[in-house]
Structures are given as C-alpha cells and as structure tokens.
Amino acid sequence: MFDPTCGSGSLLLRTAKSGKADSIFGQEKNPTTFNLCRMNMLLHGVKYNDFDIQNGDTLEADAFGDRQFDAVVANPPFSADWTAADKFNNDDRFSKAGVLAPRSKADYAFILHMIYHLNDGGTMACVAPHGVLFRGAAEGKIREKLLRSGNIYAVIGLPANLFYNTSIPTCIIVLKKHRDGRDVLFIDASKKFNKGKKQNEMTDEHIDEVMDLYGRREMVEKESYLASFEDI
C-alpha cells in the first residue's frame, strides 16, 4: 500500500486496514506532518518494520525510485503548483504522456506519479477536483493518453463540501496499469450524503451503495453509466 502524499497517514491507515495490507509506504513533504504520520503508524499498531514513510517533495524528489506497489491511494493537494521543469520531460514518471502537467495545476503530475508506482496487476484511486475531467491543453493530452491506454477504470463523482480543505465537488479516479478493454464506469454519488452544519457526510450505507455500483459495473439509470471508448 502506497500513498505519495500521505499527510498524517489517516488515508493510508484506513485503506491498509480494509485491504489487509502487509506493508505501508508513503511520502510527506512537511517535516512536522511526516513525523506525525510515523507516530500515527505506531499508535495504530503498525510495527516499525512494516512501514516506510519518507520525508520529501513527492514530485520533485521521488523517494521510492522505480519501486511498484499493489495498491496506490492519495488525496493530493488540489491544483497545486509545481515546477514542471524541463528535466521532467525525461523523467520516466511523466515522459510517456508526452507533455507535463501545467505549473499551476499539478493534479495530473500526481496521477502520473501514482500510476508509475503501480504494479501491473494493481489498482490506484486518487481524489481529484472535477477539473481533471474536462480541462484542455496539456491536461487534455494527458487524459487522452490515459484513456487510450485503458488506464482509467472508473470515475466516481462525490458530493460537494465533503472534505475539510475545500467545499468544491470532487471525484475519485480509479486507474489500472494494464487491463483488457478501455471502457470507463462513471458513478454519480453526488446526492449520496447527509447534510451537516459544516461538512457533508457519506454514511456507510452511501458508501456501500457506491461500492455495489462499482462492483456491478453496468448502467443503472441516474446512478451509473458504463461508457465505451468510442462513446468517450
């Protein structure tokens, strides 16, 4: 289990527990949060030898080289700045896309970084702003490359005001390294929430409904759409 922007480690811990991961890996830029993440691992019963959390800038200084993982998850900072320096055109993480993510929107830089570290049979899930689904220019070219390669497996539209750091609606993009077919499952979960005073919340029931749609991978009126590559 790998999270390239692991923060305090809550997403890693939750996903590792539900997925019964043997080992946990992550990278965090902020030194204070990096130390907090390592403390959280120990406080939640993860043995020291079963996790490897590194401190550093994931995009600018990848700490894991060419290592690959069975599962990759992340909730990276939305539309963050990065250098998009010329040197990254020759970086194996980004070079296959033929173009770099914009300096002012690193969303696809994180996505490409994540899929690079995914093994051939693995699955990754990334929380992202809706803009990654329709913005053009360099991002459009990267998105097309991923679609043509069959990497994008599913897109789950989430309710607005779900996360503490933003009120905008977001989505989860599920990608695979290699698979048969290039169809994409779209799930509309934007109405599956309980309204809160400050934050909306998806209950276990809402999540189970989404997972049922994900597992069925078929068209359900007003809830899911299985789009062929030709449709897209």
Side-chain angles (χ1 to χ4, degrees):
M1 178 71 62
F2 173 58
D3 185 341
T5 58
C6 59
S8 61
S10 59
L11 177 61
L12 259 180
L13 287 165
R14 286 173 179 268
T15 313
K17 181 179 179 180
S18 62
K20 299 180 180 179
D22 294 325
S23 301
I24 297 175
F25 302 85
Q27 186 167 353
E28 170 54 39
K29 181 178 180 180
N30 183 289
T32 301
T33 312
F34 155 71
N35 285 315
L36 178 61
C37 181
R38 294 197 297 171
M39 289 173 58
N40 274 340
M41 294 293 139
L42 296 172
L43 289 171
H44 284 82
V46 182
K47 295 179 181 179
Y48 185 79
N49 290 334
D50 291 337
F51 71 86
D52 181 2
I53 307 299
Q54 296 291 325
N55 182 210
D57 189 313
T58 288
L59 298 181
E60 304 292 334
D62 183 5
F64 289 93
D66 58 359
R67 293 189 67 174
Q68 294 184 329
F69 306 94
D70 296 327
V72 182
V73 296
N75 182 9
F78 298 154
S79 301
D81 293 336
W82 75 305
T83 64
D86 287 342
K87 65 179 181 179
F88 291 122
N89 285 303
N90 297 317
D91 190 309
D92 289 341
R93 295 175 293 168
F94 313 117
S95 59
K96 290 182 180 179
V99 64
L100 297 176
R103 286 186 176 87
S104 61
K105 293 180 178 65
D107 303 301
Y108 271 110
F110 285 114
I111 289 172
L112 290 173
H113 171 86
M114 291 171 67
I115 201 166
Y116 174 78
H117 283 293
L118 184 68
N119 70 22
D120 287 351
T123 300
M124 64 165 271
C126 180
V127 181
H130 275 186
V132 302
L133 304 178
F134 59 80
R135 289 192 299 245
E139 291 179 289
K141 293 178 181 178
I142 296 172
R143 184 170 59 248
E144 181 179 353
K145 171 66 176 176
L146 293 172
L147 287 165
R148 289 190 179 279
S149 298
N151 297 134
I152 302 179
Y153 185 73
V155 177
I156 304 169
L158 299 176
N161 200 28
L162 198 63
F163 298 100
Y164 289 109
N165 59 344
T166 181
S167 62
I168 64 171
T170 56
C171 63
I172 297 174
I173 303 180
V174 181
L175 297 98
K176 294 180 180 289
K177 196 72 163 283
H178 296 292
R179 70 179 178 105
D180 295 329
R182 295 187 291 180
D183 54 1
V184 179
L185 177 67
F186 292 89
I187 297 175
D188 181 9
S190 61
K191 304 294 192 296
K192 297 182 184 296
F193 68 93
N194 288 346
K195 189 171 180 60
K197 290 182 179 180
K198 294 183 179 180
Q199 230 75 42
N200 293 328
E201 178 187 11
M202 293 184 73
T203 65
D204 289 343
E205 183 179 353
H206 293 136
I207 295 170
D208 287 343
E209 290 173 0
V210 172
M211 291 308 299
D212 178 64
L213 291 167
Y214 180 86
R216 290 164 63 183
R217 196 168 178 80
E218 61 187 24
M219 295 188 189
V220 177
E221 187 175 0
K222 296 182 179 180
E223 293 200 86
S224 63
Y225 184 85
L226 185 60
S228 69
F229 179 74
E230 289 71 25
D231 286 338
I232 296 170

